[in-house]
Amino acid sequence: MADPDTHQQRMFAQYVLPEIEVLLRVAMSLTAQRADAEDLVQDTLLRAYRAVGRFDGRHPRAWLLTIMRHAEVSRRRQRRPRLLDDPDTELERLTPALDATPEELVVDTAFDEAVDAAFTALPLRDQQVVRLVHVDGLSYAEAAQVLDVPKGTVMSRLHRARKRIRNRLLATGLESQRGGA
């Protein structure tokens, strides 16, 4: 008979390891800091390893995202306030493209600032949906699983968020310069 630890390791390698990149992207959208996201993924992996023997093998991503959601809820209960933001992350985002013309840099910077302002003005729940679907590339069903809401709620929040961003960009006059939002 096979060793239970070997079976557990095999299942972990088969169902969990291929999903680490997705877990990290989702964790980045749930947390504001890379270190927090990595901690959340590590906590999720530990919980998954302990429970993989009870996993039926169906829908590993949904199973892992549920574990992550529960881990994040637990972490939020214990969370202390962030004391410092990572200045390197902001510096990387602000570094301009090397081959862009000065005009493109000005328009791109103004557009990026307008999009950022429009996104920041969204309610937190709408921001989360935009991050999960458009940044992390999750399906509506996967985003619904992460947020523990119905798929229709994800769709309506996303529609509302897109409309608010589009209206805000139209109000600034920048939306038409980039060919649509």
Side-chain angles (χ1 to χ4, degrees), residues 26-113:
V26 171
M28 287 294 294
S29 70
L30 295 174
T31 65
Q33 304 273 332
R34 177 139 184 113
D36 290 339
E38 290 170 351
D39 287 347
L40 179 57
V41 169
Q42 183 176 8
D43 191 20
T44 302
L45 293 175
L46 287 171
R47 290 174 182 219
Y49 186 77
R50 289 184 199 123
V52 76
R54 297 184 306 273
F55 179 56
D56 64 6
R58 295 182 340 197
H59 311 291
R61 184 174 291 175
W63 176 66
L64 289 166
L65 292 174
T66 300
I67 292 172
M68 179 177 280
R69 183 180 70 240
H70 291 180
E72 177 62 9
V73 167
S74 295
R75 290 168 52 82
R76 284 187 184 180
R77 287 185 189 133
Q78 302 170 14
R79 184 166 290 153
R80 58 193 160 112
R82 291 183 309 190
L83 300 176
L84 298 173
D85 287 332
D86 184 10
D88 294 334
T89 305
E90 197 59 22
L91 182 62
E92 288 173 13
R93 189 184 73 77
L94 296 174
T95 303
L98 298 175
D99 59 347
T101 67
E103 294 82 13
E104 290 172 334
L105 289 176
V106 169
V107 170
D108 284 348
T109 301
F111 184 78
D112 288 348
E113 289 172 359

